[in-house]
Amino acid sequence: MRRSRVSPPVAEDSFEAVVRALRGVPSRRIGEVSSGDLVIVRGTVAAAAGRPRVRSPLTAEPCLLWSLRVTDPQSDHGATELERQRGAALVVTDGTGRAHVDGRDALFVTERRVRMDAEEAPPRLRALLRAAGLEWDPHLACEVAELRVGDTVAVRGVTRIESDSVEAETGSYRDVGRTVAIGAAPDRRVIVALGPPYDLDPDVW
């Protein structure tokens, strides 16, 4: 079984960098794409069948992707002390098909962050800090974002058609449509965007 892994610090997740990557990329329904297309698809996210999820460093609850940012408000310009993210395999559906995304290597961007203000850090957060050579201090500002089953996302990447005849039972109905994999583009990793402003139609920017 493939295990999820912690991504290294990312330098490509500034708002400006992500907007540049999304601008001009066409939005497509999954059932309309061809292999090799650089597109944005939008849909509801679920866990890939038989694949493990990851656990939030803040709540320890299972999720599909998480992003962690620890800053020091007392330093010059609120310096970032630690930035990490972790993800699992996920599936996006839009009614015309499904797209498989390897969340382990995706860039997760969102403004839906929860800030932790506490004297003591949860064990998972402490472990991440110690792995980076840091110790928790109550004056640090910790923000965590989580992607959960049922969230609506926008995914930017290059498509590869896996099947046009997938038929699988989901609940009490059958879901038939195109199945694709979305992988990295030559210029950057797959982008998984949750919530505004990143999930807006790029044509409005």
Side-chain angles (χ1 to χ4, degrees):
M1 179 179 294
R2 297 174 68 185
R3 300 180 62 186
S4 56
R5 57 178 178 267
V6 175
S7 298
V10 292
E12 58 186 324
D13 66 344
S14 70
F15 178 78
E16 294 79 8
V18 173
V19 168
R20 284 197 302 270
L22 296 175
R23 183 177 288 123
V25 178
S27 295
R28 294 285 186 271
R29 303 279 281 173
I30 295 171
E32 300 171 349
V33 303
S34 302
S35 285
D37 290 346
L38 174 60
V39 297
I40 295 172
V41 300
R42 291 174 170 81
T44 303
V45 69
R51 302 292 292 276
R53 304 182 199 182
V54 293
R55 290 189 177 273
S56 165
L58 188 59
T59 65
E61 293 296 321
C63 59
L64 298 174
L65 283 162
W66 58 253
S67 174
L68 167 71
R69 183 181 299 148
V70 179
T71 58
D72 184 355
Q74 297 181 1
S75 67
D76 293 339
H77 310 295
T80 299
E81 299 293 327
L82 181 67
E83 195 165 13
R84 292 289 187 273
Q85 71 171 49
R86 191 175 184 182
L90 53 95
V91 179
V92 178
T93 59
D94 69 354
T96 70
R98 69 190 69 195
H100 294 278
V101 180
D102 188 349
R104 301 176 309 158
D105 296 315
L107 175 62
F108 178 38
V109 293
T110 184
E111 293 302 313
R112 295 183 184 176
R113 295 182 173 273
V114 175
R115 179 164 176 164
M116 188 193 79
D117 294 302
E119 290 295 320
E120 294 293 329
R124 289 177 180 274
L125 177 56
R126 282 186 176 275
L128 284 170
L129 289 168
R130 287 172 179 164
L134 300 171
E135 289 292 335
W136 174 251
D137 190 302
H139 80 268
L140 294 175
C142 173
E143 295 180 328
V144 176
E146 300 172 5
L147 179 67
R148 295 183 176 275
V149 170
D151 284 338
T152 299
V153 295
V155 180
R156 185 257 202 198
V158 176
T159 56
R160 185 185 75 251
I161 294 177
E162 295 186 332
S163 174
D164 271 326
S165 59
V166 169
E167 185 170 322
E169 289 193 4
T170 306
S172 60
Y173 68 93
R174 284 187 174 271
D175 181 24
V176 181
R178 175 166 292 177
T179 299
V180 305
I182 299 182
D187 61 336
R188 67 176 52 233
R189 293 181 286 161
V190 173
I191 296 175
V192 178
L194 171 66
Y198 299 108
D199 63 348
L200 296 177
D201 188 331
D203 292 337
V204 308
W205 292 331

